[in-house]
Amino acid sequence: DWRWVLDVNLFGVLHGLQVFTPAIAKQTRPGLIAVTASDRGLDIGGSPGCTASYATSKHGLMGMCESLEGELAAKNLGGQIQLSILCPGLVASSLWNASKAEEQRLVSDKRTINYKKGQQQFMESLGTSVSDTIDTFLDGVTRGKFICDSVPGQAQESFGRRAEYIAGGLMPSDRRLTSML
């Protein structure tokens, strides 16, 4: 299902950036580009159960936005356009209802999903509320942060696992978060 995940999570954002970034740059007042990635884009490809396609799409968003930030700065647009990326962890929302997501697919791409209500309830019980996620993100935007998380410090913790295995010459599995299983 790589194509569908990358089309939605990576190329959907890319197409939006291609359309709206030039329009925001032409404005006479400051603008904001807000992108939703995931803490899986900062971590070691995600915990077990996180699909490779999802982790790849979120890592791709991080690289794309880091590059865009550099391009905006090189064109002296950094003061005019703020770029902020929301990198939430688990959020208690209906996003975890996989069968609901399947309804958005083209008929030819639909899959049969074994919907597990217990799994959804587990994820939602661990997740940050949508309102708290939004409040934390908006606080980060107000402070001019590039990477904003849903729980203060979570982005640094996620990236820390990645940095630790890279700096230590370790295997990703040596530092991957396994508590989600």
Side-chain angles (χ1 to χ4, degrees):
D1 237 23
W2 281 80
R3 173 58 63 190
W4 187 77
V5 171
L6 293 175
D7 280 348
V8 172
N9 290 350
L10 185 62
F11 291 108
V13 174
L14 171 64
H15 297 313
L17 290 172
Q18 289 174 323
V19 170
F20 292 107
T21 303
I24 293 170
K26 290 178 184 175
Q27 291 184 151
T28 57
R29 62 181 190 263
L32 169 69
I33 297 173
V35 172
T36 301
S38 169
D39 70 339
R40 300 300 90 197
L42 300 169
D43 211 333
I44 307 169
S47 56
C50 175
T51 64
S53 57
Y54 180 81
T56 299
S57 70
K58 298 307 181 174
H59 277 274
L61 280 177
M62 293 304 302
M64 182 170 33
C65 289
E66 289 167 347
S67 296
L68 176 59
E69 189 276 335
E71 291 175 21
L72 293 173
K75 294 177 181 178
N76 294 320
L77 293 171
Q80 181 181 344
I81 301 175
Q82 178 182 343
L83 177 58
S84 294
I85 307 170
L86 173 61
C87 295
L90 293 176
V91 177
S93 73
S94 63
L95 181 65
W96 297 104
N97 185 339
S99 60
K100 186 175 180 180
E102 283 301 308
E103 295 171 9
Q104 299 174 25
R105 290 178 182 260
L106 297 173
V107 173
S108 61
D109 292 338
K110 286 198 187 288
R111 305 170 302 168
T112 301
I113 295 293
N114 255 342
Y115 176 64
K116 299 176 183 172
K117 188 147 182 78
Q119 183 181 23
Q120 178 183 349
Q121 290 171 340
F122 173 76
M123 298 295 203
E124 288 177 349
S125 70
L126 289 177
T128 305
S129 73
V130 172
S131 62
D132 285 349
T133 298
I134 292 168
D135 289 345
T136 303
F137 174 63
L138 292 176
D139 178 60
V141 168
T142 300
R143 292 187 290 127
K145 289 180 69 176
F146 176 68
I147 295 176
C148 305
D149 44 20
S150 54
V151 175
Q154 183 173 4
Q156 290 84 356
E157 181 182 321
S158 294
F159 183 75
R161 280 189 291 275
R162 182 177 183 82
E164 187 177 63
Y165 100 81
I166 293 170
L170 305 169
M171 296 298 290
S173 295
D174 293 337
R175 294 294 180 261
R176 183 171 279 122
L177 181 64
T178 58
S179 64
M180 295 294 295
L181 289 178

